[in-house]
Amino acid sequence: MKTELSRTLGIEHAIFGFTPFPAVAAAITRAGGFGVLGAVRYTAPDELARDLDWMQEHTDGLPYGLDVVMPAKKVEGVTEADVEAMIPEGHRAFVRETLAKHGVPELAEGEASGWRITGWMEQVARSQLDVAFDYPIKLLANALGSPPPDVVTRAHEHGVLVAALAGSARHARRHAEAGIDVVVAQGYEAGGHTGEIASMVLTPEVVDAVSPLPVLAAGGIGSGEQIAAGLALGAQGVWLGSLWLTTTEAELHSRALTEKLLAAGSGDTVRSRALTGKPARQLRTEWTDAWDDPAGPGPLPMPLQGLLVAEAVSRIQKYEVAPLLGTPVGQIVGRMNSERSVRQVFDELTRGFERAVDRIDRIAGRSTP
């Protein structure tokens, strides 16, 4: 699975694995892929530095990257407290009522929420970059499109490639104009924030729109055969996220959530604004149903929704309240029906890729059955 981009980065397989868990990211890199650590959950620079130190010790000198969340346009002088003050009381009451309906206990006195989307705030993401550029990261990805121009310039000065996710050819062209090095064409099937175009349609559209920039196919990919399809559509690699959630290295801290993922089918996800305020594919739960119910107040825009539900999500996760318990995940969840190590996943991906290539060779008359 070598492409021009994989050779540029010095990796064996053109498989880019996004994950919030350092152990998973490091294992992806050691397996011959390219691990990308998600930074959004880090609320303090020293926390990110600690985990990047760990990555350095467990990647055998092989390359890895970082994913941040930054808006392209900078907003001056806005603090988290300012944003918190914008949340209507009616929405806070709705959260309290929904949690009470399901008997979700309060956090212990003095216990802080363990889940905060402060990473959506630009100043937090910039503090993460101040840390990250002290490490030999090879790729900086931004989940909200092109990062601000000064960030692109700074990354290039450090010899770091910049990637940005796109849900349409129009978005991809904007990335190319902004000096982005790699475009991730993320289809409708993907977990987390997605657009409305399916991967089979989106990938070749983006490839044509930004050629000769390299494109990674993302969304609904969880087998070697699907990787082969992405490369056949012109991508120079694949970007996988959901697939790693049920690996043995993942740190979900909830057996109940792991069991829900293993039991879920491809139809058990929904694009909902319940978590962050932007449409994000996630497990469908009574929590997403409550926010999507027309009788409710409806989600707030980003970043208000993320701040509003932060403590609630922490409580749901801590006490493993099954009807409300969910996570961002793509439609590929229907294939995630067993727990495997990252290495085992890679072995299955490479075998599936070989089967697909052999099948096409036979169809094309290039090999003997």
Side-chain angles (χ1 to χ4, degrees), residues 165-168 184-204 206 215-221 239 242 271 279-281 329-332:
L165 275 64
S168 71
V184 181
Q186 179 165 272
Y188 173 83
E189 309 95 323
H193 297 122
T194 70
E196 299 182 354
I197 304 174
S199 300
M200 184 64 73
V201 174
L202 179 66
T203 301
V206 171
V215 172
L216 300 178
I221 300 175
W239 178 275
S242 299
R271 283 175 80 242
R281 186 171 296 285
V329 68
Q331 291 179 328
I332 198 62

Side-chain angles (χ1 to χ4, degrees), residues 74-93:
K74 186 174 183 177
V75 179
E76 299 283 358
V78 178
T79 67
E80 183 178 340
D82 295 330
V83 177
E84 288 265 17
M86 300 177 190
I87 298 174
E89 177 54 35
H91 281 73
R92 296 186 186 277

Side-chain angles (χ1 to χ4, degrees), residues 20-90:
F21 308 123
V24 176
I28 291 168
T29 287
R30 292 197 307 272
F34 190 95
V36 181
L37 179 65
V40 72
R41 70 191 182 104
Y42 295 97
T43 58
D46 61 331
E47 295 174 351
L48 178 59
R50 176 201 63 210
D51 281 356
L52 288 177
D53 284 337
W54 189 92
M55 289 280 293
Q56 279 293 103
E57 295 172 3
H58 293 84
T59 47
D60 300 336
L62 298 168
Y64 62 91
L66 190 74
D67 180 278
V68 297
V69 179
M70 297 186 74
K73 296 181 180 178
K74 186 174 183 177
V75 179
E76 299 283 358
V78 178
T79 67
E80 183 178 340
D82 295 330
V83 177
E84 288 265 17
M86 300 177 190
I87 298 174
E89 177 54 35

Side-chain angles (χ1 to χ4, degrees), residues 8 56 61 67 75 131 140 213 223 255 292 336 355 363 365 369:
T8 296
Q56 279 293 103
D67 180 278
V75 179
V131 171
L140 174 67
L213 286 184
S223 72
R255 187 63 204 174
D292 295 338
M336 296 159 47
R355 286 194 300 269
I363 293 170

